[in-house]
Amino acid sequence: MAVSTPIADIGWPAAPFRLQSVDGKFYTLQQLAGPRGTLVIFMCNHCPYVKAVLPRILRDARDLAKHGVNTIAINANDDEAYPEDGFEEMKRLSRENAFPFQYLHDDTQDVARAYDAVCTPDFYGFDADLRLQYRGRLDASRKELAPEDEPRELFDAMRLIAHYGYGPAEQNASIGCSIKWRESAVSPVLLQAAYAQPSL
């Protein structure tokens, strides 16, 4: 089922996390954040919307790095129901496409719930202080690529954030497959309480 992202909650602080990447190491948000901005993408392997735009995601991630924006990709899908989204398949996809960013596995789905992620792909553009300035689409693509001359909405928004600290006033919702939730996933209320606990 295709779903769209809600209107951006401008100024919302990025929720912290510590997740395992395809290189086998664990990373926190702070470790991966960019000096001038951070793009967090909830995506997966099997979704046709992600497959359609993956080359452009990789292109934009490489181009944004030149502007001090780091990209982080997170897969939160239920890999028992969707084996193609499993950790080993994530490693393969990252390796075969030479991902220029860490591809993290949210196996508990806690992080996706903390971000209120709804679809794949779901894009979050944060400023240098890790406050949300953009939650919109990559471009006009859906399951098929938009023409090459269509505006690079995500790239332009993140470049604006990197250089001026704010995103565009008009933001078009991203659309994609719904995140595949497990029935046993932690509720947002319990998760917020867990994040509120002081670290030991």
Side-chain angles (χ1 to χ4, degrees):
M1 179 180 68
V3 295
S4 298
T5 55
I7 296 172
D9 183 8
I10 300 298
W12 176 77
F17 56 74
R18 181 177 181 272
L19 295 172
Q20 188 175 27
S21 184
V22 291
D23 66 1
K25 300 177 182 178
F26 284 82
Y27 295 91
T28 65
L29 171 63
Q30 291 292 343
Q31 287 175 308
L32 298 179
R36 301 178 75 173
T38 304
L39 172 62
V40 176
I41 308 170
F42 285 88
M43 54 175 275
C44 66
N45 298 357
H46 89 274
C47 171
Y49 292 88
V50 173
K51 287 181 175 180
V53 300
L54 184 58
R56 293 185 182 180
I57 288 175
L58 302 179
R59 174 203 63 189
D60 286 0
R62 294 187 180 98
D63 289 350
L64 287 171
K66 302 170 187 175
H67 295 273
V69 175
N70 285 359
T71 298
I72 305 166
I74 301 174
N75 176 15
N77 270 7
D78 178 2
D79 56 7
E80 292 182 7
Y82 296 84
E84 190 177 344
D85 290 332
F87 194 53
E88 293 303 316
E89 288 299 303
M90 289 173 58
K91 292 180 182 178
R92 179 192 59 77
L93 186 70
S94 176
R95 181 178 63 252
E96 291 181 355
N97 291 277
F99 279 14
F101 46 72
Q102 295 297 335
Y103 190 18
L104 310 178
H105 192 205
D106 181 17
D107 57 338
T108 65
Q109 302 187 319
D110 290 356
V111 177
R113 288 193 176 275
Y115 279 73
D116 195 24
V118 298
C119 63
T120 53
D122 200 342
F123 301 98
Y124 296 75
F126 296 97
D127 60 24
D129 296 320
L130 289 174
R131 293 196 172 269
L132 187 67
Q133 300 296 335
Y134 183 77
R135 189 176 183 187
R137 65 189 186 182
L138 182 137
D139 59 21
S141 300
R142 291 181 177 247
K143 290 183 182 179
E144 300 80 25
L145 279 177
E148 286 289 344
D149 58 356
E150 285 289 316
R152 295 172 65 181
E153 295 174 41
L154 175 67
F155 174 76
D156 291 340
M158 293 307 303
R159 187 172 54 176
L160 185 65
I161 292 166
H163 293 281
Y164 297 100
Y166 57 84
E170 294 186 11
Q171 302 183 9
N172 296 307
S174 182
I175 188 171
C177 299
S178 61
I179 288 185
K180 309 310 180 191
W181 300 105
R182 296 189 184 92
E183 292 183 4
S184 59
V186 177
S187 73
V189 173
L190 292 177
L191 182 60
Q192 289 171 6
Y195 276 125
Q197 297 300 316
S199 57
L200 300 177

